[in-house]
């Protein structure tokens, strides 16, 4: 195996990266990453980029917490505070959790279904570059959206759900909101390109014998999430066009004085926004389902129920949007109806939670870091879900709406839920894509610091919220009983920051470690563990023939008469590996291409054209047309 020889010399970071590179494309240098269409590399790029945005979103959160640590904080002014929570929320949702999920989709879908790549490799590269361009575009707004020379930050400041008419020029002068709206528009294109790619890949590229009900749970959750993406994104896209039309061309979609309907924005935003929260949580649910089964050494309990409850959640997520709008005067009938539909979603969610607990029940548990984060997900998500049920109750929501109780709830499900689930996936699959395990001791320290930090940050918010503290206020006066709880939340936030530093340190020392993880360090159940770590560029020398669910597990273990699991003669996996080495010479893989990045780079030009100077519009259009023609005319494989 290409990486083997490196073992002899002291391990360095460069060696580890060379390992990943050699295995994934056999060509090197920055150019190879810019032109790659390899799903494994694109997955790594999504993951690293999203982590950098996580650091940005995290720093914004720390400044917010510093401002609120004491009454009458003076760290930032009100306008800067508005920009901080807007960019924090927008970044964490669209530039961190969604692309981190896309990283796992890219890394795992072809490997788990027994394919060599996704259906549209260049479209896959295109979606990554569009995401990166949009993320940079939105963040430069801090410096270009206002007059930086007068110390004025120019990022959007109307919150992550940008309610109209606050987003209109009258109330949000400057270009901040234009950056936000165009940024989300461009991100939507990246998400939809990726969504279609994974739907087609999962439906058309499964290995022979892998029927839908032999697909790993993670693949099912990827499929449901991708369908939610292709149906939800168009709704927010239309709404964003409307707000930009109001801002740039004087239209009146949301301007009540001129006959517009401000509430229309809320309906459209949450028609997208609630399915969006499931787009954020379902991938993490897929990840923990794989981790629970592997670390309990038991098949996932009630596999079909976990599948169907995921599909049910996806369908039901379209019927609850107005639970975000109880206090906008929709009336008791509408409110009760949406309260009822919201309660119903607790049923499929509960089914999943009981099936996860049943999977662990009686299992031979090894409490390694991937499982710790998965159990952390379970515990925190249950609290998040229960506070969600509290919100669905119209009368109690009248008390909780727009308070810190809501802020605590959304972090319970998005950080305690989605992000804990994603970290579980990082610790579980890191060895598959780097050939090294993340250090267990530092992993456990990361988990406990983050778990304790998380609860010290957000549980007090439940109390300050119940004590009436509104969200999005940049200062508060003394004597309201909020001081202690806010100081506690701030201390907790810095504990989370320390845990993230521990994680980063762990990644660096583990990549430098000389110890090899082997192909199947956790004794996994699914196909990705049947091939070398890191996987060769072509993934499988021979496309596997799948005979049942958890097929790889059943090639390793059979049940004897006493019903005990007996390991199959060790030879089998090794034989597969030998076949691997000499079989790949005639496998055609999609060749590198630079046209996806060219097409992607046209979008910011067009946005800047509408915001600053129409002369940039034809520049953007020409760049995209040249890229599209090159893409259309280049051969797919060498
Ligand atoms: C890393 C630790 C984090 C801390 C300390 C933190 C802290 C906060 C605080 C204090 C606010 C309230 C701001 C206000 O209303 O004035 C907030 C808002 C928000 N946070 Fe976080 N957060 C963290 C991570 C995350 C993550 C991982 C996500 C999502 C995946 C997230 C999503 C949001 C959203 C959507 C808002 C609402 C923003 C708005 O009101 O427009 N946060 N966060
Ligand atoms: Cu909702």
């Amino acid at each position: 195996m290409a990486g083997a020889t490196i073992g002899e010399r002291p391990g360095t970071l460069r060696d580890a990266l060379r390992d990943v590179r050699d295995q994934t494309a056999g060509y090197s240098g920055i150019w190879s990453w810019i032109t790659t269409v390899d799903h494994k590399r694109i997955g790594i790029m999504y993951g690293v980029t999203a982590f950098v945005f996580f650091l940005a979103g995290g720093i914004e959160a720390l400044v917010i917490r510093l401002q609120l640590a004491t009454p009458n904080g003076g760290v930032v002014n009100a306008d800067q505070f508005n920009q901080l929570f807007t960019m924090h929320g927008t970044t964490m949702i669209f530039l961190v959790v969604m692309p981190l999920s896309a990283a796992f989709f890219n890394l795992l879908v072809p490997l788990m279904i027994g394919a060599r790549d996704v259906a549209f490799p260049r479209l896959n590269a295109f979606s990554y570059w569009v995401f990166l361009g949009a993320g940079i575009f939105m963040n430069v707004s801090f410096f270009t959206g206002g007059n930086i020379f007068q110390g004025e930050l120019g990022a959007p400041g109307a919150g992550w759900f940008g309610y109209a008419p606050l987003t209109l020029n009258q109330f949000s002068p400057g270009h901040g909101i234009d950056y936000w709206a165009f940024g989300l528009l461009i991100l939507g294109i990246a998400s939809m390109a990726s969504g279609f790619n994974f739907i087609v890949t999962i439906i058309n590229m499964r290995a022979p014998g892998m029927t839908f009900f032999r697909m790993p749970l993670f693949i099912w959750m990827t499929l449901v999430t991708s369908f939610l993406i292709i149906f939800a994104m168009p709704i927010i896209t239309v709404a964003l066009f409307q707000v930009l039309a109001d801002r740039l061309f004087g239209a009146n979609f949301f301007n009540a004085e001129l006959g517009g309907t401000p509430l229309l924005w809320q309906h459209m935003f949450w028609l997208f926004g609630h399915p969006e929260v499931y787009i954020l949580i379902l991938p993490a649910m897929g990840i923990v389902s794989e981790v629970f089964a592997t670390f309990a050494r038991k098949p996932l309990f009630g596999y079909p129920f976990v599948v169907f409850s995921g599909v049910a959640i996806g369908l039901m997520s379209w019927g609850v949007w107005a639970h975000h709008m109880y206090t906008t005067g929709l009336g008791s009938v509408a409110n009760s109806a949406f309260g009822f539909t919201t309660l119903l979603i607790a049923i499929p969610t509960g089914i999943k939670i009981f099936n996860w607990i049943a999977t662990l029940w009686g299992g031979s548990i090894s409490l390694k870091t991937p499982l710790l984060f998965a159990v952390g997900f379970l515990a925190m998500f249950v609290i998040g879900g229960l506070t969600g049920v509290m919100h669905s109750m119209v009368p109690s929501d009248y008390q909780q709406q727009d308070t810190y109780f809501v802020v605590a709830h959304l972090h319970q499900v998005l950080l305690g839920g989605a992000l804990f689930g994603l970290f579980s996936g990082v610790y579980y699959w890191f060895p598959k894509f780097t050939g090294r395990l993340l250090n267990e001791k530092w992993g456990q320290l990361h988990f406990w610091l983050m778990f304790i930090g998380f609860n010290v940050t957000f549980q007090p918010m439940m109390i300050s919220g119940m004590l009436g503290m509104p969200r999005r206020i940049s200062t508060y006066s003394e004597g309201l009983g909020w001081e202690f709880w806010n100081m506690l939340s701030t201390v907790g936030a810095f504990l989370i920051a320390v845990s993230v530093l521990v994680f980063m340190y762990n990644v660096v020392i583990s990549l430098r470690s000389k110890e090899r993880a082997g192909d199947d360090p956790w004794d996994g159940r699914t196909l990705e563990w049947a091939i070398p770590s890191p996987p060769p560029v072509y993934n499988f020398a021979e496309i596997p023939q799948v005979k049942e669910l958890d097929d790889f597990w059943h090639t390793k273990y059979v049940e004897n008469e006493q019903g005990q699991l007996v390991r199959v003669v060790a030879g089998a996996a090794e034989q597969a590996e030998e076949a691997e080495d000499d079989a790949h010479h005639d496998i055609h893989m999609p060749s590198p291409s630079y046209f996806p990045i060219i097409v992607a780079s046209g979008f910011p030009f067009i946005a800047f054209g509408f915001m600053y100077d129409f002369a940039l519009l034809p520049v953007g259009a020409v760049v995209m047309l040249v890229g599209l023609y090159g893409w259309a005319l280049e051969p797919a494989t060498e």
Side-chain angles (χ1 to χ4, degrees):
M1 204 39 56
T5 52
I6 290 168
E8 283 82 42
R9 290 183 288 116
T12 66
L13 209 48
R14 179 190 298 279
D15 293 334
L17 290 174
R18 186 176 302 129
D19 251 12
V20 173
R21 181 216 63 216
D22 286 355
Q23 285 298 356
T24 54
Y27 59 96
S28 63
I30 183 74
W31 189 245
S32 72
W33 290 91
I34 289 175
T35 57
T36 190
V37 295
D38 180 305
H39 71 97
K40 300 176 286 298
R41 282 188 166 215
I42 293 171
I44 291 168
M45 288 150 73
Y46 262 115
V48 172
T49 311
F51 188 74
V52 172
F53 284 126
F54 175 62
L55 296 178
I59 291 164
E60 287 153 1
L62 292 179
V63 179
I64 291 173
R65 286 307 332 157
L66 277 176
Q67 172 68 16
L68 296 169
T70 54
N72 307 313
V75 179
V76 291
N77 65 33
D79 182 48
Q80 291 163 342
F81 187 86
N82 293 348
Q83 295 183 26
L84 283 171
F85 68 65
T86 303
M87 283 306 287
H88 164 75
T90 306
T91 299
M92 286 297 193
I93 287 183
F94 294 102
L95 302 177
V96 177
V97 174
M98 283 182 80
L100 270 179
S101 305
F104 284 105
F105 298 164
N106 269 287
L107 289 168
L108 292 166
V109 169
L111 299 188
M112 279 185 159
I113 64 172
R116 295 219 160 92
D117 210 308
V118 295
F120 311 114
R122 288 174 293 177
L123 184 70
N124 205 16
F126 165 78
S127 59
Y128 168 75
W129 294 114
V130 172
F131 148 62
L132 178 68
I136 296 170
F137 172 81
M138 290 173 102
N139 278 282
V140 291
S141 66
F142 275 109
F143 312 102
T144 54
N147 189 339
I148 192 74
F149 302 106
Q150 286 163 1
E152 190 195 294
L153 294 180
W160 85 276
F161 43 72
Y163 277 3
L166 177 61
T167 45
L168 302 184
N169 290 327
Q170 192 185 353
F171 305 104
S172 293
H175 283 299
I177 296 293
D178 301 327
Y179 277 95
W180 180 77
F182 272 116
L184 289 186
L185 267 180
I186 301 171
L187 277 172
I189 295 167
S191 299
M192 284 190 270
S194 172
F196 282 112
N197 214 336
F198 286 106
I199 290 171
V200 175
T201 304
I202 291 171
I203 292 175
N204 291 334
M205 297 179 69
R206 281 165 290 127
M210 180 167 282
T211 57
F212 280 110
F213 279 88
R214 288 179 182 162
M215 295 195 310
L217 217 286
F218 179 77
I219 300 297
W220 268 108
M221 293 308 110
T222 306
L223 191 61
V224 175
T225 306
S226 301
F227 271 110
L228 286 179
I229 286 174
I230 62 167
F231 287 116
M233 282 298 166
I235 303 170
I236 187 72
T237 301
V238 171
L240 290 166
F241 271 121
Q242 291 172 327
V243 82
L244 283 168
D246 277 19
R247 291 180 58 84
L248 301 173
F249 302 111
N252 298 315
F253 287 99
F254 305 118
N255 188 341
E257 288 142 23
L258 299 168
T261 324
L263 219 52
L264 171 67
W265 169 267
Q266 293 196 33
H267 282 292
M268 295 191 73
F269 183 88
W270 290 116
L271 255 176
F272 147 80
H274 193 85
E276 168 68 8
V277 302
Y278 286 108
I279 289 169
L280 299 172
I281 199 72
L282 285 169
M285 287 178 164
I287 290 172
V288 298
S289 301
E290 303 296 338
V291 169
F292 285 139
T294 299
F295 289 87
R297 296 182 66 71
K298 274 176 58 180
L300 183 69
F301 185 90
Y303 167 88
F305 288 90
V306 184
V307 169
F308 282 122
S309 57
V311 175
I313 287 174
L315 293 171
M316 293 160 84
S317 71
W318 295 98
V320 298
W321 78 91
H323 67 210
H324 296 270
M325 302 164 63
Y326 285 155
T327 54
T328 61
L330 294 175
S332 53
V333 176
N335 280 355
S336 317
F338 281 101
F340 178 68
T341 53
T342 307
L343 272 180
L344 283 182
I345 284 198
I347 299 169
T349 313
I351 288 173
K352 275 183 184 294
I353 288 166
F354 285 117
N355 277 293
W356 288 326
I357 295 170
T359 303
L360 293 172
W361 194 270
S364 43
I365 306 283
S366 61
L367 204 55
K368 292 274 173 35
T369 311
L371 184 61
L372 267 180
F373 271 105
V375 173
F377 160 95
L378 189 55
M380 294 303 103
F381 186 70
V382 166
I383 298 175
L386 293 176
T387 48
V389 171
M390 288 169 71
H391 291 320
S392 71
M393 291 293 116
V394 180
S396 61
D397 183 68
Y398 276 28
Q399 164 73 24
Q400 294 148 198
Q401 174 72 328
D402 278 344
T403 72
Y404 256 83
F405 193 86
V406 171
V407 176
H409 164 73
L410 75 90
H411 288 91
Q412 206 69 45
V413 284
L414 292 180
L415 204 171
L419 213 68
F420 273 37
L422 292 163
F423 269 117
S424 169
V426 171
Y427 279 91
Y428 184 48
W429 282 297
F430 190 88
K432 178 47 59 184
F433 296 97
T434 64
R436 294 149 174 85
L437 283 164
L438 278 166
N439 179 291
E440 186 56 23
K441 199 174 79 268
W442 288 99
Q444 303 243 349
L445 179 64
H446 167 205
F447 171 76
W448 286 112
L449 279 175
M450 189 170 254
F451 186 78
I452 295 167
F454 171 81
N455 283 290
V456 172
T457 308
F458 296 106
Q459 302 313 330
M461 287 184 188
M462 302 253 185
I463 299 169
S464 46
M466 279 301 179
L467 291 175
M469 183 177 177
R471 64 189 292 186
R472 296 177 168 177
I473 53 169
S474 61
T475 59
Y476 54 94
S477 11
E478 279 159 44
L480 296 166
W482 304 345
E483 293 87 336
F484 170 71
W485 305 113
N486 273 283
M487 182 52 83
L488 207 52
S489 288
T490 301
V491 171
F494 279 86
L495 213 53
I496 297 175
V498 174
S499 76
V500 173
L501 293 176
V502 168
F503 169 68
M504 291 163 76
Y505 177 72
N506 193 353
V507 169
V508 171
I509 57 163
S510 304
L511 279 177
R512 296 185 62 187
S513 122
K514 288 181 292 200
E515 224 179 303
R516 291 291 172 277
D519 303 345
D520 183 17
W522 313 117
D523 204 7
R525 311 181 72 86
T526 40
L527 287 177
E528 75 273 23
W529 302 109
I531 58 175
S533 299
V537 65
Y538 48 83
N539 297 350
F540 300 89
E542 279 148 46
I543 298 296
Q545 303 286 328
V546 174
K547 292 176 262 345
E548 53 197 309
L549 179 63
D550 289 350
D551 193 73
F552 178 57
W553 177 265
H554 295 291
T555 63
K556 293 189 289 181
Y557 293 96
V558 287
E559 266 186 27
N560 64 12
E561 286 83 42
Q562 289 77 37
Q564 293 148 331
L565 278 180
V566 187
R567 177 115 198 174
V568 172
V569 228
E574 280 71 24
Q575 279 145 17
E577 195 157 304
E578 266 102 47
E580 191 88 36
D581 285 353
D582 52 21
H584 64 273
H585 299 303
D586 56 357
I587 296 171
H588 284 293
M589 293 302 293
S591 39
S593 170
Y594 41 75
F595 290 113
I597 190 171
I598 292 177
V599 179
S601 59
F603 289 112
F605 277 102
I606 291 176
F608 281 127
F610 279 113
M611 289 157 62
Y612 293 104
D613 186 339
F614 282 151
L616 287 170
L617 289 178
V619 178
V622 169
V623 168
M624 289 178 82
L625 278 176
V626 168
L628 283 170
Y629 266 97
W631 182 336
L633 301 176
E634 97 181 311
T637 61
E638 73 259 346

